[in-house]
Amino acid sequence: MPRSTRITRRQFLQSSSFASFACALPARSIFAPSEPPAAQAVKDRAPLHPSAFYALPLGSVRPAGWLRRQLEIQAAGLSGHLDETWPDVGPNSGWLGGTGESWERGPYYLDGLIPLAWLLDHRPLKAKAQRYIDWILTHQASNGMIGPTSNDDWWPRIVALKALTQFQEFTGDGRVIPLMDRYFRYQLSQLSTRPLRDWGKFRWQDEVLSVIWLYNRTGSAYLLDLARLLHQQGYDWVAQYANFQFKEKITAEYIKLNEGGGLKDLALSTHGVNNGQAVKTGPVWSVVSGSDVDRKAAAQMIADLDRYHGLPNGMFSCDEHLSGRDPSQGSELCTVVEYMFSLERALAITGDPAFGDRLEKLACNALPGTLTDDMWAHQYNQEPNQVECSLHHKPWVSDGPESNLFGLEPNFGCCTANFHQGWPKFAASLFLLSGEQASDQGDGLIAAAYAPCEVHTMVRGTAVHIAEETLYPFRGTVKLTIDPAVPLSFPLQLRIPAWAAGASIAVNGKPEPQPQPGSFARIERTWRFGDRVEVEFPMQPRISRWFHDSVAIERGPLVFSYGIGESWVKLRDRGMTADWQVYPLTPWNYAVQLDPDHPAANISVSESEVGDVPFARKTAPVQLRVKARKVPAWRAEDGAADPLPQSPVASSETEEEITLIPYATAKLRITSFPVLKS
Ligand SMILES: [Zn+2]
C-alpha cells in the first residue's frame, strides 16, 4: 500500500475537480429558458385497473433549492462528462452506431441523462442525449428491431424503452410512439421462438411499464397480449416472496457460481439489483391483472428483505447477492437507484405512503452516501459500518476486492452507467396526481415526497402552480404556495411519514386537524392564488434496532453516523477522474449510551446552514451528540468491521461525547452501534 501517497480528504477535494467546482459549474447561459409544460397526466386506460395515483408528465415537477444544487453537482460531475472519459458510452458506443459497447451501458446512461438534462434545461447535456436518441430513432430495422445489430438481447432494449418514454414526455417528439409500436409488434411476433432469458427474464416488469405507457396512449389491444406474454415468460417474483426461502447470507456455492455456464436462476433470483427492480413487480402487474394480491406484493417483499437482509441505511444487503443483516455487508449502487425507481412506481400505483418513507430514506442516505461530494466517483458496494475502503475481499458474497473503493468503475461498470437515474427521477416524482375516477373531476394533487421544487400542472382542466420551499430533510418545515389560474376546488394530499407523530398542518395560518402518521392528510377546499400550506414535521431523534440488537439513530428521513477520520489515497488516475482508497484516521469502535425508551433525552441536536454541497461533511447541516465508550474487543479485519458485539455491551473505557453527522456526509462511518449496559 503506498502509504506515502496518502492525502487527506481536504487535499483530495482541493486536487479533484471539486475545488474548482463552484467556478466550473455551468454558466447560466447553457440552461435554456424554460417554458414549463402544463400537460395532463395520462391515466390507465380500460381494461387496465386504475392506479391510486399517476405520475405527472415529466417536466411538471422541477427541482429547486438544495435539490437543484444536487442535480447541478451531478451535471458538473461524472454524469455530465461520462461520454468524454469512459469509452463504454463514448463516441464508439454501439448505441451511436459504433463498434464499442453495445449492450446495457448506453441505455443505462440515457435512462438518467435524459431526466437530468431536461430537468435542468441543460443545453449541452440535452445535445448529448439527443445524439443517442436520434441514432435509435433513425436506425430501426425494417422488421421493427431497435438498437445495435451486434446482439438481439431483449434486456438492454428494456432499458432503452425506459429512456425513450422519458424523452417523449419531455419533448413530445412524434417519432417515439410509432417506433415503440413497431418494436412491440416485432417482439410479440418473436417471443414464442426467442423467449425472455437471463436478465430480461428477471427484469420483465420494467418492460411492462413501457408497454402500459404505450397502451395508455394508443389503446392497441395487442399490447395487452404482449404484457401477458412477458408476464408468462418472466420470473414469478410474487411467488418467490409469497414463500420466501432466502433467509441467510447467500454463498457462492449455494448459487453454483463456480460451476460455469453463466448465472443460474438461483443466482439471478437472489441477485441484488434484480430484487431491487423486482419490488415494483406486484404493483405493475396488478394494473393488468387487477389482483389485490399482486397490488399488495411490494409491501410483503420489502418486509421480507428488511427482516432477513435489512440495513439501517434503508437498503437490503447485496454484494452481490442477498447477504444478511451484518452492517459490514455491502449494497450495490445499481440496487440503490433501481430500488428507488421501484418505490416511485409502487407508490404511484398502490398509494401506500410507506413507499414514500423508504424512498426518502434511500434518496437522503444510501444514494449520496456512496458517491463523492463532487459526484465524480462512486462505490460499487457501500457498507453502513464502513471503517475502510480498500482493496479487500472479506465480506462480499461474490464481488471483487475493488467493490468499496470510490472510483470510475470499481468492481464492474454497471453502476458507472446506471447511477445517473437516482436524483433526477426522485425529483420528478415529488408530486403525483390522484385520479381514481375516470373523469377528471376527481383529480387532486399528492405531495408524495418532500424536497424543494416547483410544480406546473393541470388539475381538472385548470393550470396549477405550486412552489415548495423547504430544507427538508435537514429541517422539518415544508411551505407550499398554491397558485391555480382561477379559484379551483380539489383535494391536496400530503404524505405524513410513519415517524412523524405530532406533525401539524396549517392553511393560511389556520390549523388543520392533526394528521395521522403513515397516511395521506387530505385538504379539500377551493384553492385561490397565493394560498399557503405549512407543514411541521417533528424532528426529534429516534432509534431503530438492527443486527445483534444494535441501534441506529435517525431524525426525520436522515440516518446518522459517527464520521471516522478519513485519509483519501489515490490508487490511480482514471481519465478525468480517479480511483481512491479511504483509510481511517480515528478510532471507531464505539458503543452508545442511550435510554431506549427516551432516546431523544440522551441526544443533543445542533443545526447549521445547508451548504452549497448539501451532503458535504465539512458543512453537515445537522449534528447530533451522544455519550459513548469504546469497545476494545470490537475490531476490523481485512478492511471490514467484525460483526457487532451483541447488545447490551459492557465497557470500562472512558466516557466520551461523540458527534454524529448525516450518513451520506461520512464516507467512513459507524451507523449501527452497540448499546452500553445501563
Ligand atoms: Zn451496478
Side-chain angles (χ1 to χ4, degrees):
M1 198 57 53
R3 298 288 166 124
S4 61
T5 64
R6 277 189 178 191
I7 64 165
T8 64
R9 173 77 176 147
R10 183 185 176 85
Q11 288 166 320
F12 160 63
L13 293 174
Q14 286 170 343
S15 64
S16 73
S17 61
F18 179 80
S20 55
F21 130 87
C23 51
L25 266 181
R28 305 304 298 181
S29 61
I30 63 169
F31 297 109
S34 169
E35 188 57 50
Q40 193 77 44
V42 177
K43 297 179 185 175
D44 292 326
R45 181 193 283 253
L48 294 179
H49 297 268
S51 298
F53 308 145
Y54 293 98
L56 295 177
L58 289 171
S60 307
V61 186
R62 300 209 174 241
W66 73 258
L67 182 59
R68 184 178 171 92
R69 266 309 287 150
Q70 201 64 29
L71 266 66
E72 288 172 353
I73 293 167
Q74 183 176 348
L78 200 55
S79 293
H81 299 282
L82 189 61
D83 59 315
E84 300 162 33
T85 197
W86 199 51
D88 284 10
V89 299
N92 198 32
S93 163
W95 291 88
L96 290 169
T99 56
E101 208 276 346
S102 299
W103 194 50
E104 67 182 10
R105 293 186 180 177
Y108 264 159
Y109 184 38
L110 276 184
D111 191 32
L113 180 63
I114 289 170
L116 179 67
W118 266 268
L119 288 180
L120 289 176
D121 273 320
H122 191 302
R123 281 199 183 105
L125 295 196
K126 284 181 178 177
K128 287 186 181 200
Q130 186 83 43
R131 281 200 295 276
Y132 281 92
I133 293 291
D134 282 343
W135 185 86
I136 296 169
L137 291 174
T138 56
H139 287 78
Q140 186 166 30
S142 57
N143 62 11
M145 186 59 156
I146 59 171
T149 54
S150 56
N151 75 78
D152 64 0
D153 189 353
W154 301 118
W155 158 241
R157 291 158 176 93
I158 292 175
V159 187
L161 291 161
K162 285 198 296 173
L164 285 163
T165 56
Q166 293 182 83
F167 177 77
Q168 197 280 339
E169 286 194 34
F170 278 119
T171 66
D173 192 310
R175 298 172 296 174
V176 173
I177 286 175
L179 172 126
M180 287 176 63
D181 182 63
R182 289 190 294 267
Y183 174 72
F184 284 144
R185 289 177 191 275
Y186 167 72
Q187 190 185 26
L188 182 60
S189 75
Q190 297 296 302
L191 276 175
S192 57
T193 51
R194 199 159 64 73
L196 295 178
R197 60 178 170 81
D198 48 62
W199 301 109
K201 174 179 168 183
F202 283 80
R203 298 172 175 180
W204 61 276
Q205 67 284 335
D206 282 75
E207 179 165 348
V208 172
L209 274 180
S210 295
V211 174
I212 290 172
W213 183 94
L214 190 64
Y215 179 74
N216 286 336
R217 284 159 176 79
T218 68
S220 298
Y222 82 91
L223 290 166
L224 302 183
D225 297 335
L226 175 60
R228 290 189 193 98
L229 194 52
L230 292 167
H231 172 255
Q232 184 190 321
Q233 294 187 359
Y235 184 71
D236 192 344
W237 287 107
V238 174
Q240 169 164 321
Y241 280 86
N243 182 22
F244 190 62
Q245 297 295 310
F246 307 120
K247 300 179 178 177
E248 307 284 341
K249 179 177 176 176
I250 300 298
T251 64
E253 296 72 37
Y254 177 71
I255 53 177
K256 303 177 171 45
L257 274 189
N258 304 318
E259 294 182 9
L263 290 175
K264 313 287 189 299
D265 277 8
L266 198 53
L268 290 163
S269 62
T270 57
H271 185 271
V273 186
N274 286 353
N275 277 273
Q277 290 189 232
V279 165
K280 72 175 80 62
T281 307
V284 169
W285 185 244
S286 77
V287 175
V288 180
S289 72
S291 156
D292 202 41
V293 172
D294 289 334
R295 192 149 288 196
K296 288 177 175 159
Q300 172 64 38
M301 291 178 72
I302 292 170
D304 281 336
L305 287 166
D306 282 349
R307 182 172 177 192
Y308 300 109
H309 307 284
L311 297 173
N313 54 9
M315 285 300 299
F316 55 89
S317 63
C318 50
D319 56 26
E320 79 177 44
H321 301 267
L322 301 174
S323 45
R325 299 181 71 230
D326 183 336
S328 292
Q329 296 300 141
S331 299
E332 184 187 334
L333 175 50
C334 279
T335 312
V336 176
V337 294
E338 293 293 354
Y339 195 179
M340 287 175 64
F341 180 57
S342 287
L343 289 161
E344 289 156 10
R345 295 280 79 82
L347 171 55
I349 295 168
T350 66
D352 184 341
F355 300 149
D357 294 10
R358 184 60 61 98
L359 173 63
E360 287 178 351
K361 195 169 190 181
L362 298 185
C364 299
N365 300 284
L367 177 61
T370 199
L371 290 147
T372 53
D373 293 353
D374 60 3
M375 296 183 80
W376 271 100
H378 71 273
Q379 297 174 290
Y380 191 85
N381 285 335
Q382 64 179 301
E383 302 161 288
N385 283 2
Q386 182 163 278
V387 301
E388 185 174 304
C389 298
S390 61
L391 292 163
H392 64 72
H393 264 294
K394 188 181 179 206
W396 321 129
V397 171
S398 58
D399 288 333
E402 291 195 3
S403 295
N404 76 347
L405 303 191
F406 285 85
L408 173 66
E409 49 176 345
N411 191 53
F412 191 69
C414 51
C415 309
T416 311
N418 189 19
F419 83 84
H420 316 276
Q421 64 171 309
W423 281 116
K425 289 186 184 174
F426 174 73
S429 306
L430 296 173
F431 275 81
L432 299 168
L433 186 82
S434 65
E436 306 95 294
Q437 300 172 30
S439 84
D440 294 338
Q441 297 313 304
D443 286 356
L445 289 172
I446 310 285
Y450 297 100
C453 66
E454 266 193 271
V455 184
H456 296 262
T457 191
M458 299 292 286
V459 180
R460 305 185 181 193
T462 296
V464 176
H465 175 265
I466 296 179
E468 176 171 350
E469 298 166 86
T470 184
L471 290 171
Y472 187 96
F474 308 108
R475 305 287 190 274
T477 303
V478 175
K479 293 178 181 172
L480 304 174
T481 305
I482 320 285
D483 293 330
V486 295
L488 181 67
S489 173
F490 68 89
L492 173 67
Q493 297 188 62
L494 305 167
R495 190 187 114 257
I496 308 300
W499 50 260
S504 64
I505 301 172
V507 178
N508 296 329
K510 185 166 169 281
E512 289 282 306
Q514 177 99 55
Q516 283 297 315
S519 74
F520 287 94
R522 186 181 177 99
I523 308 170
E524 177 108 42
R525 71 196 305 275
T526 298
W527 299 98
R528 293 185 164 77
F529 191 87
D531 277 347
R532 288 182 64 80
V533 177
E534 191 158 326
V535 190
E536 280 293 340
F537 293 116
M539 284 286 182
Q540 61 267 35
R542 60 189 196 279
I543 62 168
S544 50
R545 288 279 179 181
W546 302 93
F547 187 63
H548 286 179
D549 290 322
S550 60
V551 296
I553 299 173
E554 306 180 36
R555 179 182 186 256
L558 292 177
V559 180
F560 283 76
S561 302
Y562 172 68
I564 303 166
E566 298 168 9
S567 168
W568 288 67
V569 183
K570 189 191 279 188
L571 181 66
R572 59 194 165 221
D573 287 313
R574 298 299 305 269
M576 295 170 73
T577 184
D579 292 343
W580 299 88
Q581 302 188 76
V582 193
Y583 289 91
L585 292 176
T586 55
W588 50 262
N589 51 348
Y590 287 107
V592 294
Q593 187 172 309
L594 286 172
D595 175 356
D597 296 328
H598 305 284
N602 303 106
I603 302 169
S604 61
V605 180
S606 60
E607 296 178 336
S608 51
E609 261 183 54
V610 179
D612 210 29
V613 179
F615 293 95
R617 179 167 179 160
K618 66 180 175 184
T619 54
V622 186
Q623 300 197 353
L624 309 181
R625 295 184 71 78
V626 63
K627 291 194 168 58
R629 294 175 196 263
K630 293 193 188 89
V631 181
W634 186 25
R635 296 168 183 274
E637 187 185 348
D638 191 23
D642 286 340
L644 290 149
Q646 175 69 43
S647 290
V649 298
S651 171
S652 54
E653 297 292 303
T654 311
E655 183 180 280
E656 302 174 50
E657 193 172 57
I658 60 171
T659 300
L660 310 183
I661 53 179
Y663 175 95
T665 66
K667 305 311 181 198
L668 292 187
R669 59 189 163 237
I670 293 296
T671 309
S672 252
F673 294 92
V675 184
L676 288 166
K677 275 191 177 127
S678 53

